Each structure stands twice: as structure tokens, then as C-alpha cells.
Amino acid sequence: MQLYTRDIGDGTPLVLLHAFPLSSAMWLAQREGLATRFRVLTPDLRGFGGSPLGTDEPSIDAMADDVAALLDDKNIDRAIIGGLSMGGYVALAFCRRHPDRLLGVVLADTKATEDAKEAREARIRVAERLESEENVGVLVDDVLPRLVGPTTMRNRALVYGRVRGLVQSTPPLAAAWAQRAMAARPDSTGALAGFRTPTLVLHGAEDAIVTEDDARAMAEALPKAELIMIPGSGHLTAVEQPQLFNDAVTEFGAALTRTLR
Ligand code: MLT
């Protein structure tokens, strides 16, 4: 599957994988702020933004293989692979399936565990509604309110408005497919100890979707990970606190470059 990808800047390749139910549009501040140091590639995952959905069964592994195909298309041997939330699930699948393509990993507002039974069942119900109603009302009602934190809600109405616009423009069938893919994803916890690539774990202090315990457990299970908490942010650290997010990624990239020399 060929992914529609914004590709800007020079330097170490940095692929950023977006959250659900958004698109590569969420990485605006990263394209603006990181392209002087990195070649920033922000694909739309299957069905989102400008990328087609295709006909494959829902699968996070398939999304990870799309990212490997993107690197092939761009003649990029190895890259820093970063993902936020659903993008993090895809990044973890990429780590399992394509470890030789990694320079570094950024896992933001995500977790390695699979869904609990109730969460899995809830996803399937949401997918069924998206498929039958063919609009994203269920996402606006049930998902949007938990995406950004109270600090953003209070102080940054424009940021919330932007996120709302992105949720509203999500194609319902792509969202249903992604819900089914996330519901079927395996637990990656057991694999973490084998991931040898330096990893930056970022977590919004006000995240209402992924807990701090989840982020800490993942960072502690990874042999070479550092956890940075982002204050004043809910689940969407890259959107809610872009400067802090970009500073952390820039520092991580600089440290990686030093160790590669
Ligand atoms: C996301 O932001 O990508 C979602 O919250 C992921 C999820 O539903 O588990």
C-alpha cells in the first residue's frame, strides 16, 4: 500500500505516525519545527488523509509493513520511527517486523499492552456504528473529549478546534478498519526486552487515554529507553505542547547522532 506522505527537510530521516482518528495533519508543528535537523516524513496511515484504505483485513502489522514499503520507495535504509498512540502501536509492530530499518524509536502517548476484553468489545461496537451510520458522530461524542487535556481545553481553544476538525474529517470506514486493527493487535510487552534500539518515550502528564503507569512500564521494559513527561498536555503531546515535544525529539536525535559517530 502506497501511503500519501509529506516529506520535508534534510538530515536524519524521522518518520512520524499519527494518532487515531487523525491524519498526518496533526504533525504540522513537527514539520515546521524539526525539518531543519531531520528529514521529516509524515505519512497518512491507510484510509486516513490522502492514503487509500485498500482491501486487506484490519491489521496493525499491515500498517507497519506499509511504513517499511515507504522507506523502500524513498530509498531510505534506516530511520527514526516515531508514533503517537495508534501510531505508537504501528511503531511497535515495525520494531518487531523490521528491526534492521531502525535508527531510533519515539513512542509517544502509547502503550505496549493489548486491549482488555471490554475495551476490545467496545472498539468492535464503535466499528459497527461507523460502518452502519457512515459518519463519525460516535468519534466526536466518545473519542474527541478525551483526546486533549484540561490545560489545552482551558487555555488553547484553537488547538481543540483544530483537533475537532481533524476528527470530523476522518473517513468513517477507515476509522472502523483502524478500530478493528487496534482491537486485534497483539501484546508487545514480551517483545520489549529484545528491542535494542535507543527509544524515547514521551507521555502527557494529563493523558486520559494512556496511563502514566503504562508509559513507565513500557520504558522500564525497554533496554535503552528514556521517559520524558510532558507537563500541561493530555493525550496529544505533539499537538498540545509542540515545543516541548520537538525539543525532546531534537535532543534525542542529537544524542543518537553522537553515538553513531
Ligand atoms: C489514539 O490516539 O491513537 C487512540 O487513542 C489509540 C487507541 O484508541 O488505543
Short mmCIF file of all heavy atoms in Angstrom, two decimals, residues 40-103:
data_model
loop_
_atom_site.label_atom_id
_atom_site.label_comp_id
_atom_site.label_asym_id
_atom_site.label_seq_id
_atom_site.Cartn_x
_atom_site.Cartn_y
_atom_site.Cartn_z
N VAL A 40 11.83 15.02 7.74
CA VAL A 40 10.60 14.63 8.44
C VAL A 40 9.61 14.04 7.44
O VAL A 40 9.18 14.72 6.50
CB VAL A 40 9.97 15.84 9.16
CG1 VAL A 40 8.73 15.40 9.94
CG2 VAL A 40 10.98 16.52 10.08
N LEU A 41 9.26 12.77 7.65
CA LEU A 41 8.29 12.11 6.77
C LEU A 41 7.03 11.81 7.60
O LEU A 41 7.12 11.12 8.62
CB LEU A 41 8.85 10.81 6.21
CG LEU A 41 10.11 10.98 5.35
CD1 LEU A 41 11.32 10.40 6.04
CD2 LEU A 41 9.92 10.34 3.99
N THR A 42 5.90 12.35 7.15
CA THR A 42 4.66 12.14 7.91
C THR A 42 3.62 11.50 6.99
O THR A 42 2.88 12.21 6.28
CB THR A 42 4.14 13.46 8.50
OG1 THR A 42 3.95 14.41 7.46
CG2 THR A 42 5.12 14.03 9.52
N PRO A 43 3.55 10.17 6.98
CA PRO A 43 2.55 9.51 6.12
C PRO A 43 1.15 9.58 6.73
O PRO A 43 0.98 9.64 7.94
CB PRO A 43 3.04 8.06 6.08
CG PRO A 43 3.88 7.88 7.30
CD PRO A 43 4.45 9.23 7.65
N ASP A 44 0.15 9.54 5.86
CA ASP A 44 -1.22 9.23 6.29
C ASP A 44 -1.33 7.71 6.32
O ASP A 44 -1.10 7.05 5.29
CB ASP A 44 -2.23 9.78 5.28
CG ASP A 44 -2.35 11.30 5.35
OD1 ASP A 44 -2.23 11.85 6.47
OD2 ASP A 44 -2.57 11.92 4.30
N LEU A 45 -1.65 7.16 7.46
CA LEU A 45 -1.82 5.71 7.54
C LEU A 45 -3.04 5.30 6.70
O LEU A 45 -3.89 6.13 6.39
CB LEU A 45 -1.95 5.28 9.01
CG LEU A 45 -0.67 5.55 9.82
CD1 LEU A 45 -0.92 5.41 11.33
CD2 LEU A 45 0.46 4.61 9.39
N ARG A 46 -3.10 4.01 6.35
CA ARG A 46 -4.16 3.51 5.46
C ARG A 46 -5.55 4.10 5.72
O ARG A 46 -6.04 3.99 6.86
CB ARG A 46 -4.35 2.01 5.69
CG ARG A 46 -3.37 1.17 5.02
CD ARG A 46 -3.66 -0.25 5.34
NE ARG A 46 -2.56 -1.00 4.74
CZ ARG A 46 -2.71 -2.11 4.04
NH1 ARG A 46 -3.90 -2.64 3.89
NH2 ARG A 46 -1.68 -2.72 3.52
N GLY A 47 -6.13 4.63 4.69
CA GLY A 47 -7.52 5.11 4.78
C GLY A 47 -7.65 6.53 5.29
O GLY A 47 -8.69 7.16 5.13
N PHE A 48 -6.61 7.04 5.94
CA PHE A 48 -6.66 8.39 6.52
C PHE A 48 -6.06 9.39 5.54
O PHE A 48 -5.18 9.03 4.73
CB PHE A 48 -5.90 8.44 7.85
CG PHE A 48 -6.52 7.56 8.92
CD1 PHE A 48 -6.12 6.24 9.09
CD2 PHE A 48 -7.53 8.04 9.75
CE1 PHE A 48 -6.70 5.43 10.05
CE2 PHE A 48 -8.11 7.25 10.71
CZ PHE A 48 -7.69 5.93 10.86
N GLY A 49 -6.49 10.66 5.67
CA GLY A 49 -5.91 11.72 4.83
C GLY A 49 -5.94 11.34 3.36
O GLY A 49 -6.98 10.99 2.82
N GLY A 50 -4.77 11.35 2.73
CA GLY A 50 -4.72 11.08 1.30
C GLY A 50 -4.39 9.65 0.92
O GLY A 50 -4.18 9.35 -0.25
N SER A 51 -4.34 8.74 1.90
CA SER A 51 -3.96 7.35 1.59
C SER A 51 -5.20 6.47 1.39
O SER A 51 -6.17 6.59 2.14
CB SER A 51 -3.11 6.75 2.72
OG SER A 51 -1.88 7.42 2.79
N PRO A 52 -5.13 5.56 0.41
CA PRO A 52 -6.27 4.66 0.20
C PRO A 52 -6.37 3.62 1.32
O PRO A 52 -5.38 3.33 1.99
CB PRO A 52 -5.94 3.97 -1.13
CG PRO A 52 -4.46 4.11 -1.29
CD PRO A 52 -4.04 5.33 -0.54
N LEU A 53 -7.57 3.07 1.50
CA LEU A 53 -7.76 2.06 2.55
C LEU A 53 -7.37 0.66 2.09
O LEU A 53 -6.83 -0.13 2.86
CB LEU A 53 -9.24 2.08 3.01
CG LEU A 53 -9.62 1.10 4.11
CD1 LEU A 53 -8.76 1.31 5.37
CD2 LEU A 53 -11.09 1.25 4.47
N GLY A 54 -7.62 0.36 0.83
CA GLY A 54 -7.31 -0.98 0.33
C GLY A 54 -8.31 -2.00 0.81
O GLY A 54 -9.34 -1.66 1.44
N THR A 55 -8.01 -3.27 0.56
CA THR A 55 -8.98 -4.32 0.85
C THR A 55 -8.46 -5.37 1.83
O THR A 55 -9.09 -6.40 2.03
CB THR A 55 -9.38 -5.04 -0.46
OG1 THR A 55 -8.18 -5.48 -1.10
CG2 THR A 55 -10.14 -4.12 -1.40
N ASP A 56 -7.30 -5.11 2.44
CA ASP A 56 -6.75 -6.10 3.37
C ASP A 56 -7.56 -6.17 4.66
O ASP A 56 -8.25 -5.23 5.02
CB ASP A 56 -5.30 -5.74 3.73
CG ASP A 56 -4.36 -5.90 2.55
OD1 ASP A 56 -4.63 -6.79 1.71
OD2 ASP A 56 -3.38 -5.14 2.46
N GLU A 57 -7.43 -7.29 5.35
CA GLU A 57 -8.02 -7.43 6.68
C GLU A 57 -7.41 -6.39 7.62
O GLU A 57 -6.21 -6.11 7.51
CB GLU A 57 -7.73 -8.83 7.24
CG GLU A 57 -8.48 -9.96 6.57
CD GLU A 57 -9.97 -9.82 6.75
OE1 GLU A 57 -10.41 -9.64 7.91
OE2 GLU A 57 -10.70 -9.84 5.74
N PRO A 58 -8.18 -5.87 8.58
CA PRO A 58 -7.62 -4.90 9.53
C PRO A 58 -6.41 -5.47 10.29
O PRO A 58 -6.50 -6.57 10.85
CB PRO A 58 -8.79 -4.63 10.49
CG PRO A 58 -10.01 -4.95 9.70
CD PRO A 58 -9.62 -6.08 8.79
N SER A 59 -5.31 -4.74 10.29
CA SER A 59 -4.10 -5.25 10.92
C SER A 59 -3.08 -4.14 11.14
O SER A 59 -2.73 -3.42 10.20
CB SER A 59 -3.51 -6.36 10.02
OG SER A 59 -2.12 -6.42 10.11
N ILE A 60 -2.61 -4.03 12.38
CA ILE A 60 -1.54 -3.07 12.69
C ILE A 60 -0.24 -3.50 12.00
O ILE A 60 0.55 -2.66 11.55
CB ILE A 60 -1.35 -2.96 14.22
CG1 ILE A 60 -2.60 -2.36 14.89
CG2 ILE A 60 -0.11 -2.14 14.57
CD1 ILE A 60 -2.83 -0.89 14.68
N ASP A 61 -0.03 -4.81 11.89
CA ASP A 61 1.19 -5.30 11.22
C ASP A 61 1.21 -4.83 9.76
O ASP A 61 2.27 -4.45 9.23
CB ASP A 61 1.25 -6.83 11.26
CG ASP A 61 1.65 -7.35 12.64
OD1 ASP A 61 1.96 -6.53 13.53
OD2 ASP A 61 1.66 -8.58 12.81
N ALA A 62 0.05 -4.86 9.11
CA ALA A 62 -0.01 -4.39 7.71
C ALA A 62 0.36 -2.91 7.64
O ALA A 62 1.06 -2.47 6.71
CB ALA A 62 -1.40 -4.62 7.13
N MET A 63 -0.09 -2.14 8.64
CA MET A 63 0.26 -0.71 8.66
C MET A 63 1.77 -0.53 8.83
O MET A 63 2.38 0.36 8.24
CB MET A 63 -0.50 0.00 9.79
CG MET A 63 -2.01 0.00 9.57
SD MET A 63 -2.91 0.34 11.11
CE MET A 63 -3.31 2.06 10.93
N ALA A 64 2.39 -1.38 9.66
CA ALA A 64 3.84 -1.31 9.85
C ALA A 64 4.57 -1.67 8.55
O ALA A 64 5.58 -1.05 8.20
CB ALA A 64 4.27 -2.23 10.99
N ASP A 65 4.05 -2.67 7.84
CA ASP A 65 4.68 -3.05 6.57
C ASP A 65 4.54 -1.93 5.53
O ASP A 65 5.43 -1.74 4.69
CB ASP A 65 4.06 -4.35 6.04
CG ASP A 65 4.40 -5.55 6.94
OD1 ASP A 65 5.25 -5.40 7.85
OD2 ASP A 65 3.80 -6.62 6.73
N ASP A 66 3.43 -1.18 5.60
CA ASP A 66 3.30 -0.01 4.70
C ASP A 66 4.44 0.98 4.95
O ASP A 66 4.93 1.61 4.01
CB ASP A 66 1.97 0.73 4.97
CG ASP A 66 0.74 -0.06 4.55
OD1 ASP A 66 0.88 -1.01 3.78
OD2 ASP A 66 -0.36 0.31 5.03
N VAL A 67 4.81 1.14 6.22
CA VAL A 67 5.87 2.10 6.55
C VAL A 67 7.21 1.60 6.01
O VAL A 67 8.02 2.37 5.48
CB VAL A 67 5.92 2.36 8.08
CG1 VAL A 67 7.06 3.30 8.45
CG2 VAL A 67 4.59 2.93 8.57
N ALA A 68 7.45 0.29 6.11
CA ALA A 68 8.68 -0.28 5.54
C ALA A 68 8.70 -0.06 4.02
O ALA A 68 9.74 0.29 3.44
CB ALA A 68 8.79 -1.76 5.89
N ALA A 69 7.53 -0.24 3.38
CA ALA A 69 7.46 -0.02 1.92
C ALA A 69 7.71 1.46 1.59
O ALA A 69 8.33 1.77 0.56
CB ALA A 69 6.08 -0.46 1.40
N LEU A 70 7.25 2.33 2.47
CA LEU A 70 7.52 3.77 2.27
C LEU A 70 9.03 4.04 2.29
O LEU A 70 9.55 4.78 1.44
CB LEU A 70 6.80 4.57 3.37
CG LEU A 70 7.22 6.02 3.53
CD1 LEU A 70 6.82 6.84 2.32
CD2 LEU A 70 6.58 6.61 4.79
N LEU A 71 9.74 3.43 3.25
CA LEU A 71 11.20 3.62 3.30
C LEU A 71 11.84 3.09 2.00
O LEU A 71 12.74 3.74 1.44
CB LEU A 71 11.80 2.90 4.51
CG LEU A 71 11.40 3.41 5.90
CD1 LEU A 71 12.21 2.68 6.98
CD2 LEU A 71 11.59 4.92 6.05
N ASP A 72 11.35 1.94 1.52
CA ASP A 72 11.88 1.41 0.26
C ASP A 72 11.67 2.42 -0.88
O ASP A 72 12.60 2.72 -1.63
CB ASP A 72 11.18 0.09 -0.12
CG ASP A 72 11.53 -1.04 0.83
OD1 ASP A 72 12.54 -0.92 1.55
OD2 ASP A 72 10.78 -2.04 0.85
N ASP A 73 10.44 2.92 -0.98
CA ASP A 73 10.11 3.89 -2.05
C ASP A 73 11.01 5.10 -2.02
O ASP A 73 11.34 5.67 -3.06
CB ASP A 73 8.68 4.42 -1.87
CG ASP A 73 7.65 3.46 -2.38
OD1 ASP A 73 8.04 2.47 -3.01
OD2 ASP A 73 6.45 3.72 -2.13
N LYS A 74 11.36 5.53 -0.81
CA LYS A 74 12.15 6.75 -0.64
C LYS A 74 13.65 6.46 -0.63
O LYS A 74 14.46 7.35 -0.35
CB LYS A 74 11.78 7.45 0.67
CG LYS A 74 10.32 7.85 0.76
CD LYS A 74 10.09 9.18 0.07
CE LYS A 74 8.66 9.66 0.25
NZ LYS A 74 8.44 10.93 -0.47
N ASN A 75 14.02 5.18 -0.84
CA ASN A 75 15.43 4.78 -0.78
C ASN A 75 16.07 5.12 0.55
O ASN A 75 17.22 5.58 0.61
CB ASN A 75 16.24 5.44 -1.90
CG ASN A 75 16.00 4.73 -3.20
OD1 ASN A 75 15.95 3.51 -3.23
ND2 ASN A 75 15.80 5.49 -4.26
N ILE A 76 15.34 4.95 1.62
CA ILE A 76 15.87 5.19 2.97
C ILE A 76 16.12 3.83 3.61
O ILE A 76 15.20 3.01 3.72
CB ILE A 76 14.86 6.02 3.81
CG1 ILE A 76 14.69 7.40 3.20
CG2 ILE A 76 15.32 6.10 5.27
CD1 ILE A 76 13.57 8.22 3.83
N ASP A 77 17.37 3.64 4.01
CA ASP A 77 17.74 2.35 4.59
C ASP A 77 17.22 2.25 6.03
O ASP A 77 16.50 1.31 6.40
CB ASP A 77 19.27 2.23 4.53
CG ASP A 77 19.75 0.89 4.99
OD1 ASP A 77 18.97 -0.07 4.91
OD2 ASP A 77 20.92 0.80 5.45
N ARG A 78 17.58 3.27 6.85
CA ARG A 78 17.18 3.23 8.26
C ARG A 78 16.67 4.61 8.68
O ARG A 78 17.12 5.64 8.17
CB ARG A 78 18.36 2.85 9.15
CG ARG A 78 18.89 1.45 8.81
CD ARG A 78 19.65 0.83 9.96
NE ARG A 78 20.85 1.56 10.30
CZ ARG A 78 21.43 1.51 11.50
NH1 ARG A 78 20.88 0.79 12.47
NH2 ARG A 78 22.54 2.17 11.74
N ALA A 79 15.76 4.63 9.64
CA ALA A 79 15.15 5.90 10.06
C ALA A 79 14.81 5.82 11.55
O ALA A 79 14.74 4.73 12.14
CB ALA A 79 13.87 6.15 9.27
N ILE A 80 14.60 7.00 12.13
CA ILE A 80 13.96 7.05 13.44
C ILE A 80 12.47 6.90 13.17
O ILE A 80 11.90 7.64 12.37
CB ILE A 80 14.22 8.40 14.15
CG1 ILE A 80 15.72 8.63 14.34
CG2 ILE A 80 13.48 8.44 15.49
CD1 ILE A 80 16.07 10.01 14.91
N ILE A 81 11.85 5.92 13.82
CA ILE A 81 10.41 5.70 13.64
C ILE A 81 9.70 6.18 14.89
O ILE A 81 9.98 5.67 16.00
CB ILE A 81 10.10 4.21 13.39
CG1 ILE A 81 10.87 3.67 12.17
CG2 ILE A 81 8.59 4.00 13.21
CD1 ILE A 81 10.44 4.22 10.83
N GLY A 82 8.82 7.15 14.73
CA GLY A 82 8.09 7.69 15.87
C GLY A 82 6.59 7.52 15.65
O GLY A 82 6.10 7.63 14.53
N GLY A 83 5.88 7.24 16.73
CA GLY A 83 4.43 7.13 16.60
C GLY A 83 3.76 7.61 17.86
O GLY A 83 4.30 7.47 18.97
N LEU A 84 2.58 8.21 17.68
CA LEU A 84 1.82 8.69 18.83
C LEU A 84 0.54 7.86 18.92
O LEU A 84 -0.23 7.79 17.96
CB LEU A 84 1.51 10.18 18.66
CG LEU A 84 1.00 10.90 19.91
CD1 LEU A 84 1.48 12.35 19.95
CD2 LEU A 84 -0.50 10.84 20.04
N SER A 85 0.36 7.22 20.05
CA SER A 85 -0.83 6.41 20.35
C SER A 85 -1.02 5.31 19.31
O SER A 85 -0.20 4.41 19.23
CB SER A 85 -2.06 7.29 20.51
OG SER A 85 -3.02 6.55 21.21
N MET A 86 -2.04 5.37 18.43
CA MET A 86 -2.14 4.33 17.40
C MET A 86 -0.86 4.28 16.58
O MET A 86 -0.38 3.19 16.23
CB MET A 86 -3.34 4.59 16.49
CG MET A 86 -3.47 3.59 15.35
SD MET A 86 -4.90 3.87 14.27
CE MET A 86 -4.34 5.28 13.29
N GLY A 87 -0.29 5.45 16.30
CA GLY A 87 0.99 5.47 15.57
C GLY A 87 2.07 4.73 16.34
O GLY A 87 2.97 4.12 15.76
N GLY A 88 1.98 4.78 17.68
CA GLY A 88 2.92 4.04 18.52
C GLY A 88 2.70 2.53 18.41
O GLY A 88 3.67 1.76 18.41
N TYR A 89 1.44 2.11 18.30
CA TYR A 89 1.19 0.66 18.09
C TYR A 89 1.85 0.21 16.79
O TYR A 89 2.42 -0.88 16.70
CB TYR A 89 -0.31 0.34 18.03
CG TYR A 89 -1.17 0.82 19.18
CD1 TYR A 89 -2.54 1.06 18.98
CD2 TYR A 89 -0.66 1.03 20.46
CE1 TYR A 89 -3.35 1.50 20.02
CE2 TYR A 89 -1.47 1.46 21.49
CZ TYR A 89 -2.82 1.70 21.27
OH TYR A 89 -3.63 2.13 22.28
N VAL A 90 1.73 1.10 15.77
CA VAL A 90 2.33 0.75 14.47
C VAL A 90 3.86 0.74 14.60
O VAL A 90 4.54 -0.15 14.07
CB VAL A 90 1.87 1.75 13.38
CG1 VAL A 90 2.53 1.42 12.03
CG2 VAL A 90 0.34 1.73 13.24
N ALA A 91 4.40 1.72 15.34
CA ALA A 91 5.86 1.75 15.53
C ALA A 91 6.34 0.49 16.26
O ALA A 91 7.38 -0.08 15.91
CB ALA A 91 6.25 3.01 16.32
N LEU A 92 5.58 0.04 17.26
CA LEU A 92 5.98 -1.18 17.98
C LEU A 92 5.93 -2.39 17.04
O LEU A 92 6.82 -3.27 17.09
CB LEU A 92 5.05 -1.41 19.18
CG LEU A 92 5.30 -0.49 20.38
CD1 LEU A 92 4.13 -0.52 21.36
CD2 LEU A 92 6.60 -0.87 21.10
N ALA A 93 4.92 -2.45 16.19
CA ALA A 93 4.86 -3.55 15.21
C ALA A 93 6.04 -3.45 14.24
O ALA A 93 6.64 -4.47 13.85
CB ALA A 93 3.53 -3.50 14.44
N PHE A 94 6.41 -2.23 13.87
CA PHE A 94 7.57 -2.02 12.99
C PHE A 94 8.83 -2.56 13.68
O PHE A 94 9.67 -3.21 13.05
CB PHE A 94 7.71 -0.53 12.66
CG PHE A 94 8.72 -0.23 11.60
CD1 PHE A 94 8.32 -0.03 10.28
CD2 PHE A 94 10.07 -0.15 11.90
CE1 PHE A 94 9.26 0.25 9.29
CE2 PHE A 94 11.00 0.13 10.92
CZ PHE A 94 10.60 0.32 9.61
N CYS A 95 8.96 -2.29 15.00
CA CYS A 95 10.14 -2.78 15.75
C CYS A 95 10.21 -4.31 15.71
O CYS A 95 11.30 -4.89 15.62
CB CYS A 95 10.07 -2.33 17.21
SG CYS A 95 10.25 -0.57 17.45
N ARG A 96 9.05 -4.96 15.81
CA ARG A 96 9.04 -6.43 15.76
C ARG A 96 9.39 -6.94 14.38
O ARG A 96 10.13 -7.92 14.23
CB ARG A 96 7.65 -6.97 16.14
CG ARG A 96 7.39 -7.13 17.61
CD ARG A 96 6.13 -7.96 17.86
NE ARG A 96 4.92 -7.18 17.70
CZ ARG A 96 4.09 -7.23 16.66
NH1 ARG A 96 4.33 -8.07 15.65
NH2 ARG A 96 3.03 -6.47 16.61
N ARG A 97 8.86 -6.27 13.33
CA ARG A 97 8.91 -6.83 11.99
C ARG A 97 10.08 -6.33 11.14
O ARG A 97 10.49 -7.00 10.20
CB ARG A 97 7.59 -6.52 11.25
CG ARG A 97 6.41 -7.17 11.93
CD ARG A 97 5.08 -6.68 11.40
NE ARG A 97 4.76 -7.15 10.07
CZ ARG A 97 4.29 -8.35 9.79
NH1 ARG A 97 4.09 -9.22 10.78
NH2 ARG A 97 4.00 -8.71 8.55
N HIS A 98 10.60 -5.13 11.49
CA HIS A 98 11.66 -4.53 10.64
C HIS A 98 12.77 -3.93 11.49
O HIS A 98 13.16 -2.76 11.28
CB HIS A 98 11.03 -3.45 9.74
CG HIS A 98 9.88 -3.95 8.93
ND1 HIS A 98 10.02 -4.73 7.81
CD2 HIS A 98 8.53 -3.80 9.12
CE1 HIS A 98 8.83 -5.04 7.32
NE2 HIS A 98 7.91 -4.49 8.10
N PRO A 99 13.32 -4.67 12.45
CA PRO A 99 14.28 -4.06 13.37
C PRO A 99 15.53 -3.52 12.69
O PRO A 99 16.14 -2.56 13.17
CB PRO A 99 14.62 -5.21 14.34
CG PRO A 99 14.24 -6.46 13.63
CD PRO A 99 13.09 -6.10 12.73
N ASP A 100 15.89 -4.11 11.54
CA ASP A 100 17.11 -3.66 10.85
C ASP A 100 16.92 -2.32 10.15
O ASP A 100 17.88 -1.77 9.62
CB ASP A 100 17.55 -4.74 9.84
CG ASP A 100 16.41 -5.17 8.94
OD1 ASP A 100 15.24 -5.09 9.37
OD2 ASP A 100 16.69 -5.55 7.78
N ARG A 101 15.71 -1.78 10.14
CA ARG A 101 15.47 -0.49 9.48
C ARG A 101 15.48 0.66 10.50
O ARG A 101 15.18 1.79 10.15
CB ARG A 101 14.10 -0.47 8.77
CG ARG A 101 13.79 -1.65 7.87
CD ARG A 101 14.70 -1.77 6.67
NE ARG A 101 14.72 -0.66 5.74
CZ ARG A 101 13.99 -0.58 4.63
NH1 ARG A 101 13.15 -1.53 4.31
NH2 ARG A 101 14.12 0.46 3.80
N LEU A 102 15.80 0.35 11.77
CA LEU A 102 15.65 1.36 12.83
C LEU A 102 16.96 2.05 13.17
O LEU A 102 17.98 1.38 13.39
CB LEU A 102 15.14 0.70 14.12
CG LEU A 102 13.71 0.17 14.10
CD1 LEU A 102 13.48 -0.72 15.33
CD2 LEU A 102 12.71 1.32 14.10
N LEU A 103 16.90 3.39 13.27
CA LEU A 103 17.99 4.14 13.89
C LEU A 103 17.64 4.46 15.34
O LEU A 103 18.49 4.53 16.22
CB LEU A 103 18.19 5.48 13.17
CG LEU A 103 18.88 5.49 11.82
CD1 LEU A 103 18.83 6.89 11.24
CD2 LEU A 103 20.32 5.03 11.98
#
